[in-house]
Amino acid sequence: MMAKTNPGRFFEDYSVGQILHHAVPRTVTAGERALYHALYPARHALYSSDAFAQACGLPGSPIDDLAAFHVVFGKTVPDVSLNAVANLGYAEGRWLKPVYAGDTLRSVSEVIGLKENSNGKTGVVYVRTRGLNQRDETVMEYVRWVMVRKRDMDAPAPDTVVPELKKVLAPEDLVVPAGLDFSSYDFALAGEPHRWGDYAVGETIDHVDGVTVEEAEHMLATRLWQNTAKVHFDLTFRPEGRLIYGGHVISMARALSFNGLANAQMIVGLNGGAHANPCFAGDTIKAWSEVLDKAETGVPGVGALRLRLVATKGGAPFDLRDAAGKYQPGVLLDLDYWALMPL
Amino acid sequence: MMAKTNPGRFFEDYSVGQILHHAVPRTVTAGERALYHALYPARHALYSSDAFAQACGLPGSPIDDLAAFHVVFGKTVPDVSLNAVANLGYAEGRWLKPVYAGDTLRSVSEVIGLKENSNGKTGVVYVRTRGLNQRDETVMEYVRWVMVRKRDMDAPAPDTVVPELKKVLAPEDLVVPAGLDFSSYDFALAGEPHRWGDYAVGETIDHVDGVTVEEAEHMLATRLWQNTAKVHFDLTFRPEGRLIYGGHVISMARALSFNGLANAQMIVGLNGGAHANPCFAGDTIKAWSEVLDKAETGVPGVGALRLRLVATKGGAPFDLRDAAGKYQPGVLLDLDYWALMPL
Amino acid sequence: MMAKTNPGRFFEDYSVGQILHHAVPRTVTAGERALYHALYPARHALYSSDAFAQACGLPGSPIDDLAAFHVVFGKTVPDVSLNAVANLGYAEGRWLKPVYAGDTLRSVSEVIGLKENSNGKTGVVYVRTRGLNQRDETVMEYVRWVMVRKRDMDAPAPDTVVPELKKVLAPEDLVVPAGLDFSSYDFALAGEPHRWGDYAVGETIDHVDGVTVEEAEHMLATRLWQNTAKVHFDLTFRPEGRLIYGGHVISMARALSFNGLANAQMIVGLNGGAHANPCFAGDTIKAWSEVLDKAETGVPGVGALRLRLVATKGGAPFDLRDAAGKYQPGVLLDLDYWALMPL
């Protein structure tokens, strides 16, 4: 039997500067848009109503920013994380152009760092991934780093290159979509009266609601982004339980954050994020947010909030870490992002 | 922590004449249409085929009437039923214009009645809700009344106003969509030969088929309508089982009623309805109908049937009520509606 | 109570030459397309990206060939297999025109064979089914035969007519879609470098990945194709477990076959197939393929591979049959089809 199937890349298959053209471009449509609303309790008005989006200066309601992220991310899995032991972090994520129904997305990554671990069995690979549309415009980009197995334990270690990554995107790094205009923003239709000026740095918001997750749902979602990593689907491969794609938790928590952050309409920056503990079917995802920073964007009427979004297993207390600095077992996600909100 | 999340309205927050502009308008598309067919065994030809709908004088296949209802209803939940103890009834529901892919719906309610209960802890709120499209045309309207908790038990009772509601819409209240023409109706393509004249008042039809409901399905459906009431999603909030949104049962029963009522194409009136018992995952929904009345509509070729649609837990006998007049435990839904059928 | 519901046809209701116009035409859209990607780990680029499809000479990305098959098949269930005891086989399946979002499909079958079984209780019905679009063009056709119960055991046996069916479609029977052109095919975007010339007759490919199937998923899929046979949905009808629609297994296995057959883009012929054992929720579907034959198509750059696609319950060994020639209990599907691949 010839080996025509994809074995994935091992640590020694990466080199700094290498460009990975990820396979299977994807046209996203009104179908993906509707499925996003069926899979997550998503209610941000800009992504729910063409009329609302048009009143905000956009041609129509974009595909959810996180859906765009999931599609771009999903394409990278066969080349970046098929043999990954752990997804270690994200940085410098930026949404550069809204994605609309009919757009076709593909992904390209550049290897920007490599560091073999001292055990000689694994190494850390840093990639900067860009999502491109059918006009070859970059719609989003982000850095992630993963721990990948070596194929051959005797393969020599590469030169260590650890990229300098911004801990936090500066406000001037954020891109406000062309035409976005909140001057006639309808707070009643959006669902909450709270504007940028109503939020204070340090403020926390308990988003109250929870969703108990089912196997069928996370598999529908993960497949929709063409992320086919077998840990998410195959119970014979993981008899202890299928691991829920971390992005499913991100989208669930972000959708729950509508209750208290209904006007944090667009995600424009991803400063970092950790999947603190694995999530399994039967877990009840709840969420809370903390306002980490505030900034003006230079666009009249449009402010930016830097938010920590924390997903927990239902009822977990509000502290993130134990005495040793480790995430509490009830914490699923600790995400740091920038969102746009009417001033 | 500031309270930025929506606590919902309590009984004393309503006053007769009050207008509630519900949040989060929604553009419905071919995606919602496809999901409706995945979630329910829906086969009415007018909602399945553009070509069939065009042969009936419409510009294309509309979004299912019940999907339009669910979207309009879902918007009202945060303002009307977040603190509701019970959904007590529906009346005077009318579908005024078909909804097509691309339409954006929003909802507006007027408080038309208030009655504090004698226990002083709760009261009944009556609202008339209208669903509007992007041209501010009313696509549907209905009255519902719910029992809502008081925030402050010492708050004074409002003047009692109980609206006069029609027990049954008169045939002349029904609106036949402009252009609807059944003169070249294809019964073979529609799936059954039975026309309006073949149904007799008092006739009952057992729709035979059943669907055993799964958690993932009702949550997908309920989220799709942006109804995010936590009783439907959060098992930590309801450890005894997530309550299935009553509208999910309505849509399931209506779809099952194709088998025997394939030509009852369009729903145009909702006379009343009761969610007789709660529905949970694992229940098998079956349905039967009774012809309650028949009327001509004034539009050549188009008749109206008034139907009772009963959903039961699989195998429940055909009697609705026990000796005391209470719904039998196996009855889930008792709905009274008007549908259009070729003469 | 009048019997207005469909009792289905029994063996004596069929006659050779009879034409069955199946009900409920169906407009397929971007919604069905997105749902297909949520339900199956489908990654063939031609069905994922409009841009990729256009680079291959098509107007856009078609609806998956198997989705078209499922829609056409689903329409036949109420007339052909409602009283079927077994789905015995497929032959002479051909895809004649790609189906695009917006197309409306309907199905017409001709009874081409009848054979009463010696027990006098059942008989075999052979039908040739064609799927037609809104322009009355045949988009696909196939023969299937089913064992159907007799209503009346004393009804006389019809003359036995067993149609001559091709064991395998000849390469010249296959229809390459107009305009298909693989001359600028992008193997990197498609996901694998293997072209037609890289596959050898007799070669087998283990597709590695597996999916553990959930109830909600197969019901969503089966309803989407408007196949409402109660064995798939009603646990009170089948307390031993809902039977998963055989087409769900076909689509799952085909999608899994991307890993090793990413360039077997289009399905153009179905030579035969057996649902070797029933599939239930909780089973983990895995797949392997064998190259049975190779042919050129006459269209420059486009080759055809004849493939055996086998679906198994996770981890079943690679032998299909036991010593007595019976399918091993772990085999779910044994399908024989032709696919198009760049030369």
Side-chain angles (χ1 to χ4, degrees), chain A residues 258-295:
Chain A
F258 175 89
N259 197 352
L261 284 167
N263 297 316
Q265 290 285 356
M266 305 193 92
I267 300 183
V268 286
L270 176 64
N271 298 309
H275 299 291
N277 284 288
C279 182
F280 298 98
D283 288 347
T284 298
I285 300 178
K286 296 197 169 192
W288 57 268
S289 294
E290 179 184 354
V291 180
L292 296 176
D293 201 358
K294 298 177 63 173

Side-chain angles (χ1 to χ4, degrees), chain A residues 152-238:
Chain A
D152 170 11
M153 298 308 135
D154 298 329
D159 291 343
T160 293
V161 176
V162 175
E164 288 280 326
L165 297 170
K166 295 180 183 177
K167 287 263 180 294
V168 178
L169 290 164
E172 55 269 25
D173 294 328
L174 307 177
V175 175
V176 177
L180 189 73
D181 176 0
F182 285 157
S183 59
S184 59
Y185 188 90
D186 187 330
F187 287 87
L189 271 188
E192 288 182 353
H194 323 301
R195 51 181 78 225
W196 184 83
D198 297 328
Y199 291 86
V201 173
E203 179 180 353
T204 56
I205 301 156
D206 180 353
H207 301 303
V208 179
D209 303 312
V211 174
T212 309
V213 181
E214 297 288 320
E215 298 282 16
E217 292 176 342
H218 76 82
M219 292 199 294
L220 288 169
T222 308
R223 272 192 297 253
L224 188 60
W225 322 126
Q226 295 176 308
N227 176 346
T228 63
K230 67 165 83 72
V231 292
H232 306 313
F233 297 101
D234 182 349
L235 208 46
T236 65
F237 182 73
R238 274 187 65 93

Side-chain angles (χ1 to χ4, degrees), chain A residues 34 37-43 48-50 188-189 191 194 198-199 203-204 206 210 212 214 217 259 284 286, chain B residues 1-2 4-6 23-27 29 31-32 104 215 219-220 223-224 226 228 233-236 242:
Chain A
H37 282 88
L39 290 162
Y40 308 108
R43 287 185 286 163
S48 178
S49 163
D50 282 342
L189 271 188
H194 323 301
D198 297 328
Y199 291 86
E203 179 180 353
T204 56
D206 180 353
T212 309
E214 297 288 320
E217 292 176 342
N259 197 352
T284 298
K286 296 197 169 192
Chain B
M1 196 183 305
M2 293 172 55
K4 286 206 165 62
T5 49
N6 176 22
V24 191
R26 169 80 168 183
T27 303
T29 69
E32 277 77 9
T104 298
E215 297 283 15
M219 293 199 294
L220 288 169
R223 270 192 299 253
L224 188 60
Q226 294 176 310
T228 63
F233 297 102
D234 183 347
L235 208 46
T236 64
R242 282 165 283 196

